[in-house]
Amino acid sequence: MAQTFTSEAAASAGFLSPLHEMTQTMPTCLWNDSAALEELQYSILNGAVGATCNPVIVLDVLRQEMHIWRERILDLIRKMPLATEDEIAWALVEEISATRATLLGGIFQAHKGRNGRLSVQTDPRFYRNPEAIVTQAVRFDSLAPNMIVKIPATKAGILAMEEVTYRGISVNSTVCFTLPQCIATAEAIERGLRRRESEGLDISRIGSVCTIMVGRLDDWLKVYADKHDVTTDPGNLEWAGIAVFKKTYRIYRDRGYRLRLLSAAFRNHMHWSELAGGDVVISPPYKWQKRFNASGIKVLNRIDESVNPAIVDELRAKFPDFVAAWTEGGLSHDEFDSYPPTVRTLRQFIAACNELAGHIRDLMLPNPDMA
C-alpha cells in the first residue's frame, strides 16, 4: 500500500513553512500543481491537500521518473497491441493519476471529499465536444475514489460541467481566466447539484472548484501591450489576474455558490500572498512553493484588500480583454472559445498531448538511425 504523507507529520517535527502556516491558520488550502512523486511529497509535507495531473505534467513526470515508468510503458505497448501511441499515452496519464491519488487518500477521508483529490484533465482536443468530455470524465472518476476532473471553461465544457456534476463527479473548471467564465462555471455546477438534490441523490462528497489561471491573463495583456504599443506602468500588468480573482471571490461569497475558486498559473508571489485568507485553493507548482517558503513574506489575510482602483481603471481604459475578464457579461458563452488566453492555453495543452504521444512513439518505434 502506498504511503500517505501528511502535513501533521511535518508540524510534529517542528517544521512550519509559510505555506504550511497558511494552511494551519487560514481556510486557504494548498494543492500541488504537479504529480511528480518527489514534488508531491514535498508539497504534502508543507500542508498540501490536493494535486493535479495532465499531459503537460506527465511530460515533466517522465523527465524526472523515466527510470520508474519506462518498463511500464513498454508493458502497456505489449498489452495493447492495437493501440495507437496516443491511446497508450492516455493510459499512462490515467495510471500516473491513479497512482499518485493514493498519496492523498488519507487526506480525502479526513476532509470528507472536500480536499485530498487528484485533478486529472480531460483531453483538451475535446474542447468543442460536450459528449466526449462527459464520457472521459466518467471514466476518470472511476480511476480512484478521490479524483476530480478538469474540464475547460469553453462553451462545450460548461455544458459538460452540469451533466458531470449531476452524475456526482467533482469538477475542476480549467482554461478559465475571466469573471464571465467563472460565473458560467458556478451556475453550471449549481444546476447539476440542484438536479441531484431534486432526485434525492447525495451531494455531500462533491468538492468542485473553479480555477482562474491568473498569470495567463497577465501574460496575454503583456503580449497585447507589445502588439498594440500600449504604454502603462509595467507593475499594473501584474495585478490583472489578482483583480479578477478578488472580484470573483466576492461574488461567489455573496451568491453562495457551492464551489471554491482556485488560483493557478503563478508568475509572482502575489498570486499566493494577495489571495491568502480566503476560503480558496492556491495551486502553485513545486518551484514556486520552494520560492514562497524561502521568501520571508509574512502570511497575512489579504483576500479582502481591494486592488488599487487607479490600477483597475488604467487596465480597463487600455486593455479591452481586461474589460471582458473583469465585467460580468463581458464575454458570452459563444466567445469563451475565441478569447485569446483560451486559445493560447488550449494550443499549449494540445501540443503537450502530441509531444507526449511522441515520447510513446519513441519507445514503440525506436528510431534505428539513433541506435
Side-chain angles (χ1 to χ4, degrees), residues 365-371:
L365 291 172
N367 187 345
D369 297 337
M370 302 298 290

Side-chain angles (χ1 to χ4, degrees), residues 37-212:
L37 181 60
E38 181 180 348
E39 296 178 2
L40 180 53
Q41 290 173 343
Y42 170 88
S43 189
I44 292 173
L45 288 173
N46 283 272
V49 291
T52 193
C53 192
N54 59 38
V56 176
I57 288 171
V58 168
L59 285 171
D60 187 56
V61 169
L62 293 182
R63 280 191 287 268
Q64 298 184 46
E65 304 177 15
M66 184 56 86
H67 61 288
I68 295 175
W69 293 102
R70 187 177 188 278
E71 287 304 316
R72 179 55 183 152
I73 295 169
L74 291 172
D75 188 47
L76 288 170
I77 292 170
R78 287 189 293 268
K79 291 181 176 178
M80 302 170 66
L82 302 181
T84 65
E85 58 263 40
D86 194 59
E87 290 169 333
I88 292 172
W90 278 99
L92 182 64
V93 170
E94 292 181 2
E95 186 160 333
I96 290 175
S97 298
T99 300
R100 299 297 149 81
T102 63
L103 296 176
L104 298 162
I107 297 168
F108 178 72
Q109 294 300 325
H111 288 243
K112 297 180 170 57
R114 180 173 168 83
N115 293 300
R117 294 186 179 273
L118 191 291
S119 292
V120 57
Q121 183 169 315
T122 53
D123 191 327
R125 293 167 292 194
F126 293 162
Y127 75 94
R128 299 194 301 172
N129 188 332
E131 291 80 14
I133 293 172
V134 170
T135 298
Q136 194 172 45
V138 170
R139 175 170 176 79
F140 286 170
D141 182 62
S142 71
L143 297 177
N146 56 330
M147 304 306 292
I148 181 171
V149 181
K150 299 178 81 169
I151 295 176
T154 58
K155 181 180 179 181
I158 297 298
L159 294 173
M161 289 178 201
E162 176 183 344
E163 179 62 24
V164 166
T165 302
Y166 167 68
R167 298 190 187 199
I169 298 169
S170 295
V171 169
N172 181 346
S173 177
T174 188
V175 193
C176 181
F177 320 88
T178 70
L179 174 59
Q181 288 173 293
C182 292
I183 297 298
T185 292
E187 292 293 342
I189 299 297
E190 288 295 322
R191 288 192 298 271
L193 290 172
R194 288 195 294 269
R195 286 171 61 192
R196 284 187 67 81
E197 289 173 317
S198 71
E199 297 180 16
L201 299 173
D202 181 41
I203 66 167
S204 63
R205 296 181 77 83
I206 296 177
S208 296
V209 297
C210 178
T211 293
I212 301 181

Side-chain angles (χ1 to χ4, degrees), residues 7-21:
S7 62
E8 286 75 12
S12 65
F15 177 75
L16 202 63
S17 66
L19 290 176
H20 196 177
E21 179 185 350

